[in-house]
Amino acid sequence: MMAAGAALALALWLLMPPVGVGGAGPPPIQDGEFTFLLPAGRKQCFYQSAPANASLETEYQVIGGAGLDVDFTLESPQGVLLVSESRKADGVHTVEPTEAGDYKLCFDNSFSTISEKLVFFELIFDSLQDDEEVEGWAEAVEPEEMLDVKMEDIKESIETMRTRLERSIQMLTLLRAFEARDRNLQEGNLERVNFWSAVNVAVLLLVAMLQVCTLKRFFQDKRPVPT
């Protein structure tokens, strides 16, 4: 029995992940984008965790609502006000280097009492830790012999391609936000044009009916008919 128990304990110990390997450390910070509806007279805040000694770029744009403007503030994890903008349609801000903690992004529509706003914003991280990991990987796999194509050249080409692809994605996202804002503006103008066109048509029909009735009254014979 003791031998069986020892064998079972050994098997369980072998199946357990080593300490500090499985699930160790916080999950990697990823870029993200979000679109939300900000009601009139309301303020909405978001919190985003950031690692230390990295770069955080935030872009926002009001793509719907009267005026296409909103108040924006950005605070550091220590509560320091980094950015404060009033009645802006869009903005791009970069924090470098970042502090470890939660950054606070707030969008304020308190100045508007009627119109709600459709807001799009995007967060882009550029962590220095990723560069260190790439350096370590390159050193680990770099061959000892000299090759026609050096590992450094391959790594530089891949890094340049990755940077350009990320920039392309960011530009496409920004252009999509511009397109959404222009589409909302055109749809709003179309609704106003249709409404006032319907009002004008109704007024014209009413005036035409009044004119016809007035002309009929002018040509009616009001003399009594002889018996």
Side-chain angles (χ1 to χ4, degrees):
M1 293 294 294
M2 294 180 61
L8 180 59
L10 179 60
L12 292 175
W13 179 77
L14 291 174
L15 291 175
M16 291 177 60
V19 178
V21 176
I29 304 298
Q30 297 181 353
D31 301 342
E33 59 186 54
F34 188 57
T35 303
F36 69 99
L37 190 63
L38 183 60
R42 295 286 299 277
K43 179 179 181 181
Q44 185 70 42
C45 294
F46 300 88
Y47 294 87
Q48 175 61 52
S49 299
N53 298 325
S55 175
L56 169 62
E57 181 179 349
T58 174
E59 302 180 9
Y60 73 92
Q61 185 174 159
V62 183
I63 60 178
L68 296 176
D69 53 358
V70 73
D71 295 343
F72 173 75
T73 57
L74 175 62
E75 295 183 9
S76 68
Q78 304 299 329
V80 179
L81 185 62
L82 302 177
V83 179
S84 179
E85 293 182 336
S86 178
R87 308 291 292 270
K88 289 284 187 177
D90 52 57
V92 180
H93 304 283
T94 303
V95 180
E96 186 179 13
T98 57
E99 303 176 14
D102 295 334
Y103 281 82
K104 182 179 180 182
L105 302 88
C106 291
F107 300 89
D108 193 355
N109 194 29
S110 300
F111 58 86
S112 179
T113 57
I114 300 177
S115 177
E116 57 187 12
K117 305 295 173 62
L118 187 62
V119 182
F120 162 84
F121 72 93
E122 181 181 19
L123 298 174
I124 303 170
F125 286 96
D126 187 9
S127 177
L128 301 180
Q129 298 176 356
D130 295 339
D131 298 337
E132 295 176 358
E133 293 178 359
V134 172
E135 291 290 342
W137 172 79
E139 294 177 359
V141 300
E142 185 175 5
E144 297 179 357
E145 300 178 357
M146 294 297 296
L147 302 176
D148 294 336
V149 181
K150 295 182 180 179
M151 194 65 188
E152 291 295 331
D153 297 336
I154 298 177
K155 185 189 69 175
E156 184 178 356
S157 300
I158 293 176
E159 186 66 22
T160 302
M161 185 181 300
R162 183 182 68 87
T163 303
R164 291 179 178 177
L165 287 175
E166 288 179 353
R167 277 297 166 189
S168 300
I169 293 173
Q170 295 169 12
M171 290 301 299
L172 289 175
T173 303
L174 193 60
L175 291 175
R176 187 169 67 247
F178 276 114
E179 188 270 337
R181 184 180 68 177
D182 295 340
R183 184 177 65 252
N184 292 334
L185 185 61
Q186 292 176 358
E187 290 177 354
N189 292 335
L190 179 62
E191 292 178 357
R192 285 192 289 270
V193 169
N194 291 337
F195 173 76
W196 288 111
S197 298
V199 171
N200 290 332
V201 170
V203 171
L204 288 175
L205 293 176
L206 180 61
V207 171
M209 292 177 62
L210 291 176
Q211 290 179 348
V212 171
C213 293
T214 303
L215 290 176
K216 284 184 177 181
R217 288 182 180 181
F218 286 159
F219 290 99
Q220 283 180 354
D221 189 3
K222 298 183 179 179
R223 292 178 300 176
V225 178
T227 57

